[in-house]
Amino acid sequence: MQRVFAASLILLLCLSCQKEEQDYYQKNGKIKNVIFVIGDGMGPQQLSMLQLFAKHSKEPHFKNRVTNLERLMSVGRTSSVMTNPGKNLVVDSSCSATQYSTGEYSLPEVVGLDDNGEVSKTILELAKEKGLRTGLVSDTRLTHATPASYASHNISRSDESAIAKEMLEVGPDIMLSGGLRYFIPKSAEKDEELRNLVPSYISLNSKRKDEENLLNFASDKNYQLVFDRESLSKAEKGKVLGLFESSSMPDGIWNTQNKDKAERQIPTLTEMAKTALDNLDGSEKGFFLMIEAGQIDWAGHRNDTGLLLHEMLRADELFGLLHKWMKGREDTLLVVTADHETGGFGFSYSGYDVLKPVKITGEKFKGEDYRPKYNYGDFSTLDKLYRQSRSTLDLMIDVKGWPKEKQTKKNMREYFETHMGYAFSDKDIDQLMRSSKNEFYRPDHGNLSLKEVPHIEDFAAFYTYGNIVRANIFARILGHKQNAVWATGSHTSTPVTMITVGPRSLTDEFNGLLHSTEVGRKTIKALGLKKDYKTVIK
């Protein structure tokens, strides 16, 4: 009986201490942890799509039709962010992430440098110097623009082999994503030891031009190496490097189709985030964790409306984890935002297939039909987009891999209809497969080095990703049927939404219309870190 009483007393004392600690954080607006979430390409239009689907899809996919995005907004503060560089109208992902991570203006296509080309310490580096633990999680690849901008400094975001090594030298405690091909030697495919180490589903096709094996380098720095869902779940507390694909992690459609499968080998974004939080939580001096939902951006670049929906659903799963994790905590600041909007997406009304007259019982109609002049879009479109079972880029890659004799209009029509749920005509196939002279040809530029490119009828200057652009043409063909419009194949300057959750006295500081550099500086300050800034925010 005395033991039970003693145990109960200890528990009460612990709970009392925890409450005192939480009250201290709440009262003083001080925190020990920051979770910074970047929805790459996630503008307000993309949030709107998620909300429309949650509220109006035929089958409810959310409890009470409430998204986790809504739940975060209900407990936090919502504001807006401008993300432009100091010297340009529009930002790219590496520049935007650098501005968030350093609090300084940066340049498009560089990582970890200010807009004078000087190295600028990131919040992750500053946190490590003060003894905090740190982590990076992304559903793209580890060396891609956003995670790279927190743990490397390079004049080119494309120099991913060098970025991979520098990220290991900087040494975030947790790094989970795809991108193995930048960590293994040029001759990796011939290495039996590597093949035995890495699961067979991951290709050993390296992108390095040297024979350096960065996995050995990581092991020497005490990283646990994990390559699949099972090994991730068994990782012990400490430093973890998880590389789960040769290049990019699977897309949002894959996530929807496979997330509930027990035999799945690849972890989801939410599983990676949970592992990182479990590992970092309880750190004596606190932690900094950046999580990227990065393929929202890729769906936008391809103008793939169905894929975009699935990417937003994947992001909302992450938001659910974070909403639960933040409950009752006043020692953590959660920031959920975006680096820019991609694609200029929106649902729009049109003159196509104007709705038939509808019977309305309201007194004002006096028996007359309701006759709208335009098609404002039917909610059934949302369910059709959800049923898209393959991305438009994958469809084009599939067709390109067919034998020439199979690449007939009939076969393509049937294949696209099976996965998209929309009918295609021979004229549509002609439009998809048409090519034209590249007006912006530059032999020294990767994406512009093709002399012939998929034909874009208008605004061709904004569709400059080579043969990938063929995937964008689906949006031109199906736009009137989906009530969906896209303005560009690149980024826009649209202000993005920001949600902050934490002690109210702290989140109040993130109010209003801010610039990404201001957000970066406020986040650095929130962790009690200090930095001398070189530029004045305009």
Side-chain angles (χ1 to χ4, degrees), residues 71 81 115 197 221 358 402 425 457 462:
R71 292 188 175 95
V81 183
D115 65 356
L197 176 67
K221 289 186 168 290
V358 179
W402 289 355
S425 67
E457 194 64 39
F462 299 94

Side-chain angles (χ1 to χ4, degrees), residues 270-320:
T270 300
E271 288 170 341
M272 292 190 293
K274 185 179 186 305
T275 298
L277 287 169
D278 289 345
N279 194 311
L280 296 172
D281 193 18
S283 303
E284 182 181 351
K285 294 187 178 181
F287 68 80
F288 171 79
L289 173 64
M290 192 287 296
I291 307 171
E292 181 195 25
Q295 296 198 44
I296 300 166
D297 175 67
W298 296 358
H301 277 296
R302 302 170 198 165
N303 298 171
D304 190 335
T305 310
L307 177 60
L308 176 61
L309 173 59
H310 288 276
E311 295 299 345
M312 289 307 303
L313 292 173
R314 169 157 61 177
D316 199 66
E317 291 168 16
L318 172 64
F319 300 157

Side-chain angles (χ1 to χ4, degrees), residues 161 184-186 206-212:
S161 293
I184 54 178
K186 181 180 178 182
S206 174
K207 280 287 187 176
R208 297 192 67 82
K209 295 179 180 178
D210 57 36
E211 291 298 335
E212 188 163 16

Side-chain angles (χ1 to χ4, degrees), residues 3 57 71 117 210 229 234 298 305 363 366 424 437 452 465 505:
R3 289 181 180 177
S57 60
R71 292 188 175 95
D210 57 36
R229 182 188 182 196
K234 294 177 180 177
W298 296 358
T305 310
E363 182 182 343
K366 297 179 180 178
F424 287 77
K437 182 181 177 182
E452 192 173 77
Y465 287 93
S505 56

Side-chain angles (χ1 to χ4, degrees), residues 61-240:
H61 294 269
F62 298 85
K63 186 178 180 180
N64 300 322
R65 290 188 178 270
V66 177
T67 63
N68 294 310
L69 171 69
E70 286 179 83
R71 292 188 175 95
L72 282 178
M73 285 184 166
S74 71
V75 298
R77 174 177 287 284
T78 302
S79 48
S80 296
V81 183
M82 293 290 294
T83 62
N84 61 285
K87 299 175 180 177
N88 301 95
L89 292 173
V90 187
V91 77
D92 83 319
S93 295
S94 60
C95 176
S96 187
T98 296
Q99 292 181 166
Y100 278 131
S101 70
T102 67
E104 297 277 21
Y105 286 114
S106 185
L107 299 167
E109 300 179 26
V110 308
V111 292
L113 306 179
D114 67 20
D115 65 356
N116 290 315
E118 299 291 338
V119 168
S120 186
K121 282 189 178 180
T122 70
I123 185 172
L124 186 147
E125 292 171 305
L126 294 169
K128 281 188 67 65
E129 288 176 1
K130 290 296 184 180
L132 283 74
R133 299 187 70 222
T134 58
L136 298 170
V137 174
S138 174
D139 65 0
T140 60
R141 59 181 177 268
L142 192 57
T143 51
H144 206 255
T146 299
S149 298
Y150 281 83
S152 68
H153 308 273
N154 199 296
I155 62 172
S156 174
R157 56 178 282 183
S158 299
D159 191 6
E160 295 187 57
S161 293
I163 287 169
K165 185 166 186 178
E166 187 176 1
M167 292 180 82
L168 289 172
E169 290 170 340
V170 170
D173 296 278
I174 311 295
M175 293 192 283
L176 307 175
S177 188
L180 176 68
R181 63 186 184 176
Y182 294 103
F183 290 82
I184 54 178
K186 181 180 178 182
S187 62
E189 288 179 305
K190 301 174 183 177
D191 191 323
E192 289 186 19
E193 188 176 340
L194 260 181
R195 185 69 283 171
N196 292 330
L197 176 67
V198 177
S200 59
Y201 79 86
I202 302 178
S203 166
L204 293 182
N205 182 20
S206 174
K207 280 287 187 176
R208 297 192 67 82
K209 295 179 180 178
D210 57 36
E211 291 298 335
E212 188 163 16
N213 187 338
L214 293 184
L215 299 182
N216 292 338
F217 186 65
S219 294
D220 291 342
K221 289 186 168 290
N222 299 315
Y223 279 99
Q224 301 168 71
L225 302 179
V226 295
F227 301 102
D228 58 19
R229 182 188 182 196
E230 182 181 2
S231 58
L232 178 65
S233 69
K234 294 177 180 177
E236 298 176 356
K237 201 147 189 165
K239 296 179 74 172
V240 182

